[in-house]
Amino acid sequence: MSLQSHGPVPCDDADGHLVTAGPLTPPPDSAGTAQDAAALRHSMAEDVQGMVLATLVASLGLAIFAKGGLMVGGMAGLAFLAHYAMGWNFGVVFVLVNLPFYYVAVRRMGWEFTLKTFAAVTACGLLVDLLPRWADFAHMSPLYSALVGGAMAGLGILFFIRHRASLGGIGILAVYLQRTRGWSAGKVQMSYDALLMCAAFFVITPTQVLYSAIGAVVLSLVLMFNHRPGRYMGV
């Protein structure tokens, strides 16, 4: 994708230095001009390949979690809990538990985000169930599962975010509650995940819960270090 120059738009910063607004040097509190946003918007082909890659990476990360018998946060964690406790199909449960959140997503995020998220959740759920038939792992240590599974799931979510999608779930509700009731989205997400991990003690071993917490931290760190407004210009 080529970056077109729209010419410098001079202005002074707080120290009196001359700065310019453009696709590569946006002002501190701006993503650039409207023309910049249009020039940098993903094409349909870019969105499709981005969504496909995100699905492959995220589903592999979740499959690694599953092979290690570990949990993860969000609705995927609830689907894992049902899978471990009752033997239910992960993909089916993952799709079903996300359904109530699409109504909120349509109202708060729009149809594009909602449809992409529905496609992401469905594709990831399907692939997590199918991957053991295509590429089985003979051995998976819990620590490796936590580190690599968390990193890959985090990267997949990051790719989805950069193409205006997500893996659905409690994060959508958390953003909605923050906007409508002033509740901290981070605290809502953290409270839900903490309750989920507490419930996990009744289904998996304490050691598996500990490694699951490590995986959740790795996933969060991937997003924290790489998802920063202004650092990535694609929309």
Side-chain angles (χ1 to χ4, degrees):
M1 177 175 61
S2 63
L3 296 175
Q4 299 177 356
S5 173
H6 303 293
V9 181
C11 60
D12 292 328
D13 65 9
D15 298 320
H17 299 131
L18 186 66
V19 297
T20 60
L24 298 181
T25 55
D29 297 322
S30 169
T33 66
Q35 290 176 317
D36 292 339
L40 293 168
R41 183 174 295 276
H42 289 132
S43 67
M44 181 177 292
E46 289 169 337
D47 265 344
V48 169
Q49 65 84 32
M51 292 286 289
V52 169
L53 289 175
T55 300
L56 294 175
V57 173
S59 61
L60 183 56
L62 292 176
I64 290 174
F65 268 116
K67 183 64 179 181
L70 305 185
M71 288 282 296
V72 69
M75 290 297 104
L78 186 59
F80 273 133
L81 200 62
H83 173 69
Y84 294 146
M86 291 168 278
W88 292 353
N89 182 280
F90 170 85
V92 173
V93 176
F94 188 41
V95 171
L96 291 179
V97 296
N98 271 292
L99 291 178
F101 298 99
Y102 294 129
Y103 173 74
V104 176
V106 169
R107 295 192 62 186
R108 307 305 301 185
M109 312 293 187
W111 277 104
E112 179 186 352
F113 173 88
T114 304
L115 292 175
K116 285 182 177 179
T117 297
F118 177 78
V121 168
T122 304
C124 279
L126 181 64
L127 277 181
V128 170
D129 288 335
L130 290 176
L131 273 172
R133 304 180 186 180
W134 299 338
D136 195 15
F137 302 101
H139 172 70
M140 182 78 65
S141 74
L143 182 58
Y144 181 88
S145 179
L147 296 177
V148 178
M152 297 197 71
L155 286 172
I157 293 171
L158 179 68
F159 297 163
F160 280 129
I161 292 172
R162 290 181 172 180
H163 288 271
R164 295 191 176 187
S166 77
L167 280 181
I170 198 70
I172 296 173
L173 179 62
V175 171
Y176 174 76
L177 291 175
Q178 178 170 284
R179 292 180 178 178
T180 58
R181 300 193 179 184
W183 297 3
S184 168
K187 290 180 179 179
V188 171
Q189 180 83 52
M190 187 182 300
S191 299
Y192 168 83
D193 287 343
L195 289 174
L196 194 64
M197 289 298 174
C198 289
F201 279 105
F202 296 96
V203 179
I204 58 179
T205 68
T207 301
Q208 288 173 304
V209 175
L210 174 62
Y211 282 117
S212 298
I214 294 174
V217 169
V218 171
L219 190 157
S220 298
L221 288 175
V222 169
L223 295 178
M224 183 180 73
F225 282 118
N226 294 281
H227 182 51
R228 295 187 181 183
R231 189 174 273 189
Y232 178 79
M233 298 299 296
V235 294

